[in-house]
Amino acid sequence: MGLIKLAVAGAAGYALYKYATRDQEEPLTATNGTACPPVRDAGPENMQSKPKRWSKTDEAIDESFPASDPPATY
C-alpha cells in the first residue's frame, strides 16, 4: 500500500512540475526542430585564423571534434 501512495505522490509531483514549466522555452537541440548554431567544417582552410603548422595528428583531432574519443592516430 505504501508503494502505491508513493507512486501517486510522484505522479502528482510530476504533473505539478509539468504544469509549472509549461510556458518555458525548450533549449536549442537538433531533435526539437529548432535551428542549431552553425558548425565549421574540419581543416585549416575553414578556420578564421589558420595555424602556422598543421600535422596529420592535428587534422585527425580536428576531424574527430566533438567526438569524445581521440582519433586512432593520436
Side-chain angles (χ1 to χ4, degrees):
M1 192 65 167
L3 187 58
I4 294 172
K5 288 180 183 179
L6 183 62
V8 169
Y14 179 73
L16 286 172
Y17 167 76
K18 290 304 269 184
Y19 179 75
T21 60
R22 70 186 182 282
D23 295 332
Q24 294 179 358
E25 291 185 26
E26 291 186 44
L28 289 179
T29 62
T31 58
N32 66 5
T34 57
C36 291
V39 177
R40 78 165 173 83
D41 291 333
E45 63 275 357
N46 297 311
M47 294 181 175
Q48 289 180 354
S49 57
K50 297 179 181 180
K52 294 179 182 178
R53 293 183 294 139
W54 190 257
S55 68
K56 287 191 181 270
T57 303
D58 293 329
E59 185 153 354
I61 292 170
D62 192 47
E63 288 173 352
S64 71
F65 183 80
S68 60
D69 298 333
T73 58
Y74 186 61

